[in-house]
Amino acid sequence: LEGWASVNPTREDALEKFRHAIDVLGLKGLKVGPTYQHFDPSDSKYWTLFKECEERDLPVMIHMGTTYPSKAKIALSQPLLLEPLIMAHPNLRMIIAHLGHPWESDTIALIRKSPNIYSDISALHFRPWRFYQALITAVEYGVTHKLLLGSDFANSTIDDAITGLRNVNSILEGTKLPQIPEYVIDNIIY
């Protein structure tokens, strides 16, 4: 297991805290959540940590998508807000959490055009129809190789995520809708 730092980019001492987490604590990446930390990821005044990650070749996990806490600012979690950051930092390696649900198609468009941007599928199995739609869109856009397995622990376990992925086609019984190919499912799991 490798630990990742979570530092709020709005803090005045954010870079100092992040460097301590990497250099002293030995953490291996950065996790941020604009919706929870109340920052606009398209605003360059919050990009110091991202620039540091790009320079050190450290990955970033960014929570994008809806959430349930009443104080969360959902407008800050729309995946297209990441485009200016991605374009300004083309070597930054980033994982967009949750396929940016309910804006999965926007996330798929971003990861398709951006060589170093990926997404995980954590927590999507809770919504079988949306999960299917997102995966079939990823198949159609040819980006399934950029999808990572994730659990969203403690809300779900890795076994739950794998079971949900293995059962993604079950809602199609009796229809002529296209199925997610087994090799796509296996590639995400393995």
Side-chain angles (χ1 to χ4, degrees):
L1 297 175
E2 293 182 348
W4 288 26
S6 183
V7 179
N8 189 332
T10 66
R11 291 179 61 123
E12 285 187 26
D13 62 348
L15 188 57
E16 177 186 330
K17 292 282 186 192
F18 182 65
R19 287 177 175 161
H20 175 80
I22 300 303
D23 299 333
V24 177
L25 301 178
L27 301 179
K28 304 292 184 183
L30 174 66
K31 168 75 188 275
V32 295
T35 188
Y36 303 116
Q37 295 168 322
H38 300 172
F39 75 93
D40 181 345
S42 68
D43 188 337
S44 62
K45 75 180 178 184
Y46 300 119
W47 291 358
T48 306
L49 295 177
F50 300 108
K51 182 179 179 195
E52 184 82 3
C53 286
E54 183 181 36
E55 289 171 358
R56 291 177 177 237
D57 195 29
L58 295 170
V60 174
M61 168 73 84
I62 188 163
H63 174 93
M64 299 305 279
T66 191
T67 189
Y68 50 85
S70 59
K71 294 189 187 276
K73 295 183 177 183
I74 293 174
L76 297 175
S77 67
Q78 295 181 23
L80 290 181
L81 290 174
L82 296 172
E83 189 174 38
L85 171 65
I86 291 167
M87 293 183 78
H89 298 280
N91 295 317
L92 178 65
R93 293 181 298 134
M94 184 184 299
I95 302 164
I96 301 170
H98 314 297
L99 251 174
H101 73 88
W103 302 285
E104 299 95 342
S105 295
D106 292 346
T107 300
I108 289 167
L110 277 176
I111 67 174
R112 180 180 171 197
K113 71 174 246 167
S114 308
N116 294 314
I117 309 303
Y118 300 83
S119 186
D120 78 14
I121 60 163
S122 61
L124 294 180
H125 67 277
F126 290 121
R127 295 167 236 27
W129 179 244
R130 290 200 68 86
F131 189 28
Y132 165 77
Q133 288 178 303
L135 288 180
I136 205 68
T137 301
V139 168
E140 291 172 351
Y141 275 74
V143 297
T144 58
H145 64 289
K146 297 185 86 178
L147 299 181
L148 308 172
L149 186 64
S151 68
D152 201 30
F153 187 81
N155 294 315
S156 175
T157 67
I158 200 68
D159 289 337
D160 295 334
I162 290 171
T163 299
L165 186 56
R166 289 259 183 240
N167 291 319
V168 71
N169 290 316
S170 65
I171 63 170
L172 305 177
E173 235 176 85
T175 75
K176 293 184 179 184
L177 291 168
Q179 293 203 358
I180 308 301
E182 281 300 314
Y183 77 88
V184 168
I185 293 168
D186 286 342
N187 286 345
I188 293 170
I189 293 171
Y190 299 108

